[in-house]
Amino acid sequence: MTDTPITDLPETDFRHPRRRVRLDTILRLRWLAALGQLAAIFIVVQGLEFDLPVVPCLAIVSASALLNLALQITFNPMQLLEPRHAGGLLALNIIELSALLYLTGGLENPFSFMFLVPVLIAATALPVRLTVGLGLLAVACASVLVFFHLPLPWDSEEPLMLPPIYLAGIWLSIALAIGVTSLYAFQVTEEASKLADALAATELVLAREQHLTQLDGLAAAAAHELGTPLATIVLISRELEKALQSNAAVGADIKTLREQAQRCREILGKITQLSSTGSMFDRMKLSTLIEETVAPHRDFGVDIKVRIAVAASPEPVGTRNPAILYGVGNILENAVDFARNAVEVNAWWNNETVEIIVSDDGPGFAPDILKRIGQPYLSRRRGPDDAQQSGGLGLGVFIARTLLERTGAKVSFTNRTFPDHGAVVGIVWPRRRFEAADDEVRASVPVEPERRP
C-alpha cells in the first residue's frame, strides 16, 4: 500500500483546466459555415428564383473567408487558442450570421436556429463566463432581428407574412434552445473531463502499487550482481589475513572486514531465497491477502474482525496483484474511517467464486449517494456522527472500484438492513480470474468505484 492515500492528494494534482480549442478547429468550422452560406445563397437565387440581396450577402461571406485566410497564414493552425480569443471568433460568427439573417428575413428565416452552433461549441470548450456571454449575445441578436430585418425572400405575388405571435414563439424557442442545449453540452463535457482526470489518477495509483511489487525483483537482481564482488572481497581479505598474521593490529582489521563481507553475502543470499520462493512476492492465499490489507489498520482504535469460512474446496491462491491489494485496502480504510467501533471482513469461496465482504457499524452510505457511488469527484460523505462532512475528491472509491473490476471482480455497495446500521461492500471474483496467472491479470485489467464521497 502507498504511504499517501489517494484521497489525501490535492485536487490540483488531477483536476486540469478546461480543454482549449485549437485554431484549426475554429477555422474548419468557419470554412464549413462559409461554404454552407454560399450554397444556401446559390440555391435560393438560382434554384428557388427568390429575390435576394446577393451582393451584400456575398460581401459578408467573402469577408469571413478573407479573415479565415488571414488567420491561417498568420498563425499556426495547430496552436491552442486562449479562451478569450476563441470566444472572440465565436462571437464574430454570431455577428456574421446576424448580418446575413438581417438581409434575409430575420427570425422568419429557418436558418435562424444556427445561432445555437457557436454557443454549443463554447459550452464544450470554453469557461462558463464566456459561454454565458456568447449565449446572451446570440439572444440579443435574435431579439434585434425580431424588429429589424429586410423581408424574407419569397414569391413576390404571394409574400409570406408571419404573425407576430409566431415570431415571438420562434424567438422564445431559440432562447430556450440556446440555454438548454448549452447546459446539457456543458454537463456532458464536464463529466467526461472528470472521468478522464479520475482515470488518470487511477493509472497513477496502479503504477505506484506495481512499483512496490517490483521491489522484490530489484532486490534479487541486486543480490545477484553484488554476490560476485563480495565473494572477491571475502577471498582477498582471507588471503590478506593469512599474509599479515604477524601484524596483529592490521590482521584484526582484515578479519573484521572479511566477517562483515561474509555477513553481507549471507543477507543477500536470504533476499535471493525469499524472492525465488515466489510465495511471498508472486502469489498469495486469500487469507494472506486479507491479513496484508488488514494489518496497517489495526492500530486506529477500531476492532477489525476477520472471518474466513472453511470450504470443501482448497483455499484460492491468486497473483500478488497491486490492483487487488490497493482496491481492497482502500475499501477497508474507508470502513475503518467511518466505523464507530468495529469492522468485519468476511471471506468465503467455492469452486466457482471468491467473495470478500467488508462491513462497518458506521452511519452507512447516504441515500442520495448510494446510487451514484463510483462517480469521480463525488465529495459529500456522512461522518461517524451522522453529520454531513465535506472533504476528499471522491477518487478513493472510484479508483478502488475501477482497479477491482479490471481484475474481473464485481463490486456492490449497500447498507445494512434496519435496525442494524453501517455500510456493506461486496467484492466477488470468478475463481478462475482470482487465480489467474500474472500475465492474464495484466491483460484483462479492472474498473473503479469510490466510497463515502
Side-chain angles (χ1 to χ4, degrees), residues 239-319:
E239 296 299 323
L240 288 174
E241 185 180 357
K242 293 178 180 178
L244 298 173
Q245 286 180 347
S246 57
N247 191 330
V250 176
D253 291 339
I254 295 296
K255 180 180 180 182
T256 301
L257 176 63
R258 177 179 60 79
E259 291 174 348
Q260 294 303 313
Q262 184 62 36
R263 184 183 175 192
C264 290
R265 291 188 66 192
E266 292 171 356
I267 292 173
L268 292 176
K270 290 178 181 179
I271 293 176
T272 306
Q273 276 187 349
L274 185 61
S275 181
S276 64
T277 61
S279 61
M280 197 171 212
F281 291 95
D282 298 327
R283 301 187 68 79
M284 59 197 319
K285 293 182 178 180
L286 177 62
S287 56
T288 305
L289 182 152
I290 292 174
E291 182 54 38
E292 183 165 329
T293 55
V294 166
H297 306 289
R298 289 195 180 277
D299 299 325
F300 291 93
V302 175
D303 183 22
I304 302 178
K305 302 175 182 178
V306 178
R307 296 190 180 95
I308 299 178
V310 178
S313 57
E315 182 176 355
V317 179
T319 303

